[in-house]
Amino acid sequence: MKTIVVCSGGLDSVSLAHRVAAEQELLGLISFDYGQRHRKELEFAAACARRLGVFHQIIDMRSIGSQLSGSALTDDVDVPDGHYAEETMRITVVPNRNAIMLAVAFGVAAARGAEAVAIAVHGGDHFIYPDCRPGFIDAFQTMQDHALDGYASVRLLAPYVNGSKADIVTDGALHGTPFAETWSCYKGGTRHCGRCGTCVERREAFHLANITDPTEYEDPDFWKAATEGFRADEIR
């Protein structure tokens, strides 16, 4: 299928872009500037598009993002350290972010004649992000079937939605994803901090996948204490 990937520049979405390029017809990547505290990840999305030889479009949503206040990703709020699924990580929720982004992406896909939009949500997102869960993915597809009825047929591909971050690392390695050319850290420093939820999750995923992590972290060992003995119930 002719597919557009929603790509933030992070490990998940860049791995997805490489998978789609191998398995489908990758038309291009769409990224969103919603006023996040740093735009560093968007540079990695652009690099991914150049590497795969496809277009890259950054959609300016800063005026919308300014209204979605209260998140550590958009406001002057400290990003917490710790495991990704801890209750404290709810401060990183940007309300309705994926619903808004996907609605735009589907419009672009319909206009460009694409047959699918792919997004890299995964099981580790389910705990704190309701718009990353299987129920949301299914409901969004139903909504878009009505929204584009008679004009276009666009499928929502979410191949990782029932998998783990470690599964994504394994899949990314299979499809030649250059993991060092991805950015996950919420803090946006010179190197990954190693302490925020997404850094901990990233480091843990490479460990569980038994694949060497090429990422440079300010605190490369924090993840061990953050993940030791931590368990969270699955939310679907």
Side-chain angles (χ1 to χ4, degrees):
M1 288 186 290
K2 297 178 181 178
T3 304
I4 291 174
V5 172
V6 177
C7 185
S8 68
L11 185 154
D12 306 338
S13 60
V14 171
S15 294
L16 178 59
H18 278 261
R19 173 179 176 148
V20 170
E23 297 180 349
Q24 311 286 345
E25 181 180 347
L26 178 63
L27 291 187
L29 310 182
I30 293 182
S31 303
F32 294 88
D33 181 354
Y34 56 91
Q36 53 266 56
R37 67 166 56 223
H38 66 82
R39 301 177 81 255
K40 188 167 185 173
E41 60 186 358
L42 297 179
E43 299 170 9
F44 288 87
C48 179
R50 290 193 297 270
R51 188 166 57 247
L52 296 175
V54 297
F55 79 81
H56 177 233
Q57 181 69 48
I58 298 177
I59 307 295
D60 187 349
M61 284 184 16
R62 286 173 294 179
S63 61
I64 296 174
S66 67
Q67 303 303 310
L68 309 179
S69 58
S71 171
L73 302 191
T74 55
D75 289 3
D76 187 18
V77 178
D78 289 339
V79 175
D81 296 336
H83 194 282
Y84 198 68
E86 290 186 41
E87 186 67 22
T88 54
M89 294 300 162
R90 290 190 183 278
I91 194 65
T92 64
V93 172
V94 179
N96 226 31
R97 178 177 60 175
N98 279 353
I100 296 168
M101 291 179 179
L102 282 174
V104 174
F106 264 70
V108 173
R112 286 180 173 265
E115 298 166 282
V117 170
I119 188 170
V121 297
H122 63 88
D125 294 326
H126 298 173
F127 303 108
I128 55 174
Y129 300 127
D131 56 1
C132 292
R133 297 170 188 163
F136 167 79
I137 296 297
D138 294 342
F140 191 89
Q141 180 69 71
T142 298
M143 183 268 286
Q144 283 299 309
D145 289 343
H146 288 286
L148 295 174
D149 184 36
Y151 181 79
S153 177
V154 181
R155 308 313 300 165
L156 178 53
L157 304 181
Y160 303 141
V161 70
N162 290 308
S164 68
K165 185 88 163 188
D167 293 333
I168 295 178
V169 170
T170 300
D171 191 63
L174 177 66
H175 293 104
T177 302
F179 296 119
E181 298 302 315
T182 66
W183 186 266
S184 298
C185 184
Y186 283 155
K187 298 183 181 180
T190 303
R191 297 191 293 178
H192 284 71
C193 73
R195 299 181 64 90
C196 70
T198 189
C199 276
V200 168
E201 184 196 37
R202 179 184 176 112
R203 183 66 186 87
E204 180 187 32
F206 277 99
H207 170 73
L208 294 174
N210 197 28
I211 291 174
T212 300
D213 185 356
T215 314
E216 293 186 2
Y217 299 96
E218 294 289 346
D219 191 341
D221 296 321
F222 176 79
W223 74 278
K224 296 177 183 178
T227 59
E228 186 176 357
F230 185 87
R231 294 292 183 273
D233 293 331
E234 175 68 83
I235 299 175
R236 301 180 64 79

